[in-house]
Amino acid sequence: MRSYSKLSTAIKDKHKVEDFWHYLDSDYSVEKDEYLPTPIPEEIRQLKKLKILFISGQKTDVFPKWFEEFEELEELSISCDFKKIEAFPPNLKKLTIRGEMLSGFLNNLEQLSQLEILSISTGKKFNHLPESIGQLSSLVELNIVSNEKLESLPDTIGTLKKLKSLRLNENQLTSIPDSIGDLEELEILNLEGNRVKELPSTIGNLKKLDDLNLNSNQLTNLPQEIGNSTDLTELKIGNNKLVELPDTIGNLTKLYRFECKNNELKAIPNTVGNWTVIHDLDFSNNQLTELPDSIGNWETLDYFRIEKNKLTKLPNTIGQLKKVVFLEANNNQLTELPDELGNCENLRWISFSSNLLTSFPETFHQLKGIGRFHFKENQLTSFPSFLETQKDLEMIDCSNNQITEIPLSLGELEKIWSINLTENPLKVIPFPLLKLPNLRYFDRVEDEVFNHRKSFLKAIDSLSLENQTELYQIIEQKGLDKLSQYIFFQALGVKYPLLQSNALQYLVSNEKEGLEKQPIKEGSTITVLGKVSLNKTELKQRLKKLGINYATKITEKTSHVVLERGAKNYDNFEKEGLVFISEQGLQKFLEEVDTSHLNQKETDKEEIENVRVLLLNEDFDNVAIGIELVASLGMPKELFNEVFFVANHKYCPTSLRNKAKKLVKLNASEKLLEVMKNNRGYNIISAPTPTRFAYSYNMREYKERLLAFTQETELNLHKIVDYVCKIHINAKKEDFEEFLKRNPKK
C-alpha cells in the first residue's frame, strides 16, 4: 500500500489512496505569542478510500463534521493542538491523539462503537476522562499517558469488558476506582509515575493480569488480595514507600520478574520461596537486615540485586541458586560470606563493594566463569587468590582496601580490560599487567603512562618492581620527599621523557636559592651531566675565559652541577655544598657575564643574519649548521622565531627538530611555555594542511591559534605567517592580509 504526503498527488489518485499524511503549516502570531489555527483542507474529503490518516502540525480549531464520511477509515492519528472533534469516522478501530486540547473533545465517544485502540497523550490541558469512556464496548487497548492534570478515572472504566491492556503511566492519578476489578480480560496494567497511595482490594479480581507496573507512586502497602492475581509474571513496585509485603505475595507462583527497589522494606516474607520460576529480582535500596532461608527455592534465578540495604549476612541457602549469573550486594554491612556461595557455579558478575569483608570463602575457587568482580571499599589485606584462575575475567575493582600486593599471574588472564587498584597500600605497582593485550583501563597509573605504556615498559624493563614503583612516584609527583636523591638521578637515565622531566624539575627546584648562596664565580668548578644542547668543547672554552673550571664528573672541587636528561657518572652526588642547576640556568648565567658570544655582540648583526639564512635554508644540512652555531654560541633573541620554525618544520629531520625544540624550551618565556603546554600536540607551523585551508571555519580556528601563540610572547605573528606560507603550497599570504592588518607588527 503506497503512502502519500502531498495533497495534490493524493487527489489525482483519490480512488486508490489508502494511507495519507497531512502537515498543518500554521502561521505564528508575534502579538499573541502563539500559532494561529490552520483549517483542515476540505480537499481531503475526496479521499473516500482512506484507511489510515495522519494529521500533524501546529494547530487547528475543529475536526469538521465531514470526517464521518470516511466510512473505510480504520486508523486516525492526530498530532497537533485543537479544540474539538465534531464527528468521528464510523468504523474507526484505532485513534491516537497527541497535542494540547480542551476538555470535552471526547463528547462524541458513543460514535466509536468499533474502536479497539485509544491512545491519548495531550500534556497540560486534558484533565478529565468522561464517563462515556465506558461506551467503548469494543476497546481492547487504552493508553492515557503523560497528561499532567489528569487526577482521577471514572467508575465507568470498569465496563470495558474486552479491555486487555490499560496504560495510565505518567499522569497525576491519586486513586484507582474499585471498578478496575471488573476488567476480567485485563492482562497489562501500567500505573507508573502517578501519585497513587492505595490500591483497591478489587485488584485481586484481575485473574488474567500478566504484567503490573506500580513503579514511582506513593504506596505504603499492597492489599492482601494482590495474591489472587496468580497469572502475574511481572510485578514492578519500585520507588514507593512500602514498609512490608503481604504474605499472599507468595501466591504469585508464575512471577518471572519482580522489582521492589527504592522502598522501605525491613523484611521479606518467607512465602517468596514459592516463586519457583523467578528469573529477575531487585530488592535494592531498602532497609533489609536479613533474607529468608526460603530464597534457596529460587532455582531459576538469573539476576539478583540486593545492594543498598543493611544486610549483615546472607543465608546459607543462597548456595542453592545454581543458575544465578548476576549478584549485586554492594553497600551493605556484610562481614563474611557463606561457604555455600561457592556452589553458585554460573556466577559471572559479582559485586560486594562497600561492605566490611576481610576475605572471601575458599569455596570461591570452585567458581570458574567469573567475568566481573567488584569488591572495592572493604577491608581485605590480601588479593583474592581464586581470581588468579578466572580465564574469563574482564574487570576487577579492588580499590579502597588494605591490599599490599597484586599477583603478577593476573597478566596471564588475557581477557582483562579494566583494573582498578587505587587507594591500596601497595608495596609495588604491578606494571607488568600493562602488557595485557585487551587492557583499556588501569586506574592505578596516570593516563600519560597508560597511553604510552609500551615505551614506558621498555624504559623500565630491566629494573626491579620496587625500583619501578619508586620511579613511578616521580611521574605521579607524590611522596617525593620520602624518596632518596639517588632515585631522581637514576630517573634522569631512564629513557621516558615525563619521568626525566619531573626528576630534573625536582633536582633543580632550589636552583635560584642555591645560586644566591653560592654564585658561580672565578675558581668555581662546573660539572655537566646529561645531554645538553650546548657544544661541550665551546662551553669549556667559554668557561675557561671566565676562570671557571669544567668537569665531566663530580669531583672534590665541583661546586655546581648542570643536570640534564641522560645524566650518568653521578657518583659523589651527595657531596656537601653542591648546587644543582639546569642548562637553562647556565645559559642565563653565560648571557649575563659572557659578552663575547653571539647573543651579546652589537658588532655581530651581520653574523646573526648569516645564521638566520642558514636556519631558513631549504638544504637541511645548512639548517643543521645553523642549529649547531646557536647551540654552541647561545640563542640570540633575534633568532628565536627561526629556531621555533625549525623545531616545528614537519619536513625537517626528526633529530634536527628535537635539537631545535630543546633550544626553544631552554630559551622560551614562561608565557610561551604555558601556551605550548595548553596547546600540546598542536603544531602551529605544520598543522594547517592544504585541505584545512580549503575551509573557512578551519582558517578561523587556525587564526585563533596563531593569536594564542603570538600574543604577549616572543613569537612574531608576521614572521610565523611568512614561514607557514613558505612550507604550505595552498597557504597564500593574501589569505592573511586583513588578519595581519588587525594585528600589526610588534
Side-chain angles (χ1 to χ4, degrees), residues 656-722:
L656 189 53
R657 279 208 317 272
N658 288 338
K659 286 183 180 179
K661 285 178 181 178
K662 195 165 187 178
L663 287 168
V664 168
K665 189 175 179 181
L666 281 169
N667 293 277
S669 64
E670 290 185 7
K671 176 67 177 177
L672 181 57
L673 289 172
E674 181 184 355
V675 172
M676 290 163 64
K677 183 178 179 181
N678 293 338
N679 290 270
R680 192 173 183 176
Y682 190 88
N683 188 322
I684 197 67
I685 301 293
S686 298
T689 62
T691 306
R692 279 180 176 265
F693 282 111
Y695 301 99
S696 59
Y697 72 88
N698 282 322
M699 178 62 94
R700 284 198 302 273
E701 176 198 339
Y702 179 63
K703 288 176 179 176
E704 289 173 5
R705 296 266 194 171
L706 276 173
L707 287 177
F709 270 85
T710 57
Q711 284 183 333
E712 301 179 20
T713 74
E714 54 270 50
L715 289 179
N716 184 297
L717 173 64
H718 291 252
K719 280 189 175 183
I720 295 299
V721 170
D722 283 341

Side-chain angles (χ1 to χ4, degrees), residues 151-168:
E151 297 181 359
S152 62
L153 301 173
D155 287 336
T156 55
I157 200 165
T159 63
L160 304 174
K161 300 298 184 181
K162 294 184 179 180
L163 199 64
K164 291 187 176 184
S165 175
L166 177 57
R167 290 184 170 88
L168 300 167

Side-chain angles (χ1 to χ4, degrees), residues 74-238:
E74 295 179 356
E75 181 178 347
L76 173 61
S77 179
I78 301 168
S79 297
C80 65
D81 298 349
F82 66 94
K83 289 184 178 179
K84 68 177 181 177
I85 299 175
E86 289 188 340
F88 288 105
N91 297 308
L92 201 61
K93 285 184 170 55
K94 182 177 180 180
L95 174 60
T96 302
I97 299 173
R98 301 184 186 90
E100 298 292 348
M101 57 189 172
L102 301 178
S103 294
F105 82 101
L106 290 178
N107 289 340
N108 302 322
L109 282 181
E110 65 277 0
Q111 300 175 20
L112 297 171
S113 60
Q114 306 293 318
L115 195 65
E116 296 176 359
I117 301 174
L118 173 61
S119 301
I120 300 172
S121 179
T122 63
K124 297 178 180 179
K125 294 184 178 179
F126 180 64
N127 59 10
H128 174 67
L129 193 63
E131 295 281 338
S132 56
I133 191 79
Q135 298 179 27
L136 302 179
S137 57
S138 298
L139 207 60
V140 175
E141 182 179 328
L142 177 59
N143 307 304
I144 312 292
V145 178
S146 299
N147 300 286
E148 295 180 16
K149 295 188 176 181
L150 184 63
E151 297 181 359
S152 62
L153 301 173
D155 287 336
T156 55
I157 200 165
T159 63
L160 304 174
K161 300 298 184 181
K162 294 184 179 180
L163 199 64
K164 291 187 176 184
S165 175
L166 177 57
R167 290 184 170 88
L168 300 167
N169 43 303
E170 309 302 332
N171 293 295
Q172 296 296 314
L173 299 174
T174 57
S175 63
I176 304 299
D178 290 345
S179 61
I180 196 86
D182 297 331
L183 302 175
E184 297 175 356
E185 299 296 320
L186 198 64
E187 297 174 359
I188 298 173
L189 176 57
N190 189 338
L191 292 167
E192 183 174 9
N194 282 280
R195 295 185 294 159
V196 178
K197 295 181 180 179
E198 187 177 7
L199 289 180
S201 59
T202 55
I203 196 83
N205 297 341
L206 305 177
K207 306 295 185 183
K208 294 185 178 181
L209 196 60
D210 176 77
D211 185 345
L212 176 58
N213 188 342
L214 300 170
N215 280 344
S216 303
N217 278 278
Q218 298 177 18
L219 297 168
T220 56
N221 60 69
L222 297 178
Q224 291 284 343
E225 290 79 6
I226 191 79
N228 297 336
S229 300
T230 54
D231 270 2
L232 270 175
T233 63
E234 187 161 336
L235 176 57
K236 295 179 180 178
I237 51 176

Side-chain angles (χ1 to χ4, degrees), residues 550-569:
Y550 174 89
T552 57
K553 61 182 180 180
I554 300 173
T555 67
E556 286 298 319
K557 295 182 179 180
T558 300
S559 57
H560 299 80
V561 180
V562 178
L563 290 174
E564 260 302 331
R565 297 175 184 181
K568 298 178 181 178
N569 301 325

Side-chain angles (χ1 to χ4, degrees), residues 522-733:
E522 186 174 353
S524 295
T525 298
I526 293 179
T527 296
V528 178
L529 301 178
K531 297 178 181 178
V532 295
S533 59
L534 295 167
N535 183 292
K536 292 182 180 180
T537 302
E538 296 286 344
L539 174 61
K540 186 176 181 180
Q541 292 174 354
R542 290 172 68 185
L543 291 174
K544 186 176 181 180
K545 290 179 183 177
L546 297 170
I548 298 170
N549 301 311
Y550 174 89
T552 57
K553 61 182 180 180
I554 300 173
T555 67
E556 286 298 319
K557 295 182 179 180
T558 300
S559 57
H560 299 80
V561 180
V562 178
L563 290 174
E564 260 302 331
R565 297 175 184 181
K568 298 178 181 178
N569 301 325
Y570 44 80
D571 295 340
N572 302 319
F573 68 86
E574 293 177 329
K575 175 180 175 293
E576 191 174 343
L578 289 180
V579 177
F580 297 109
I581 63 175
S582 63
E583 181 180 359
Q584 193 172 12
L586 179 62
Q587 288 269 28
K588 288 180 180 179
F589 164 75
L590 291 173
E591 288 173 6
E592 291 171 2
V593 299
D594 184 7
T595 58
S596 65
H597 69 292
L598 183 61
N599 194 27
Q600 299 294 329
K601 279 188 179 179
E602 289 296 327
T603 56
D604 278 349
K605 289 184 179 179
E606 183 179 345
E607 190 172 349
I608 289 174
E609 288 305 314
N610 290 336
V611 176
R612 178 180 284 113
V613 170
L614 289 171
L615 293 172
L616 298 178
N617 203 284
E618 292 183 4
D619 186 339
F620 291 124
D621 289 338
N622 289 329
V623 175
I625 294 171
I627 290 296
E628 286 299 326
L629 285 170
V630 172
S632 61
L633 300 176
M635 167 83 87
K637 61 183 180 180
E638 296 93 339
L639 293 179
F640 187 85
N641 284 269
E642 287 71 18
V643 174
F644 184 86
F645 169 62
V646 175
N648 292 277
H649 193 325
K650 66 179 181 180
Y651 301 122
C652 193
T654 303
S655 59
L656 189 53
R657 279 208 317 272
N658 288 338
K659 286 183 180 179
K661 285 178 181 178
K662 195 165 187 178
L663 287 168
V664 168
K665 189 175 179 181
L666 281 169
N667 293 277
S669 64
E670 290 185 7
K671 176 67 177 177
L672 181 57
L673 289 172
E674 181 184 355
V675 172
M676 290 163 64
K677 183 178 179 181
N678 293 338
N679 290 270
R680 192 173 183 176
Y682 190 88
N683 188 322
I684 197 67
I685 301 293
S686 298
T689 62
T691 306
R692 279 180 176 265
F693 282 111
Y695 301 99
S696 59
Y697 72 88
N698 282 322
M699 178 62 94
R700 284 198 302 273
E701 176 198 339
Y702 179 63
K703 288 176 179 176
E704 289 173 5
R705 296 266 194 171
L706 276 173
L707 287 177
F709 270 85
T710 57
Q711 284 183 333
E712 301 179 20
T713 74
E714 54 270 50
L715 289 179
N716 184 297
L717 173 64
H718 291 252
K719 280 189 175 183
I720 295 299
V721 170
D722 283 341
Y723 300 153
V724 168
C725 294
K726 176 183 175 72
I727 65 170
H728 289 288
I729 299 173
N730 287 46
K732 307 298 182 186
K733 191 69 178 285

Side-chain angles (χ1 to χ4, degrees), residues 383 388 393 396 398 405-421 426 428-445 450 453-454 456-457 460 465 468:
F383 190 84
E388 298 177 52
L393 193 62
I396 310 168
C398 61
E405 188 174 350
I406 303 295
L408 297 182
S409 56
L410 291 180
E412 298 174 13
L413 307 181
E414 296 188 351
K415 292 185 180 180
I416 291 179
W417 61 266
S418 176
I419 304 176
N420 190 344
L421 309 175
L426 297 176
V428 297
I429 300 172
F431 291 113
L433 298 187
L434 287 171
K435 297 177 183 178
L436 283 163
N438 294 302
L439 195 64
R440 302 199 299 271
Y441 180 81
F442 193 169
D443 203 55
R444 187 56 186 84
V445 300
F450 185 77
R453 52 189 180 277
K454 287 185 178 179
F456 176 72
L457 289 171
I460 66 171
L465 274 178
Q468 292 174 3

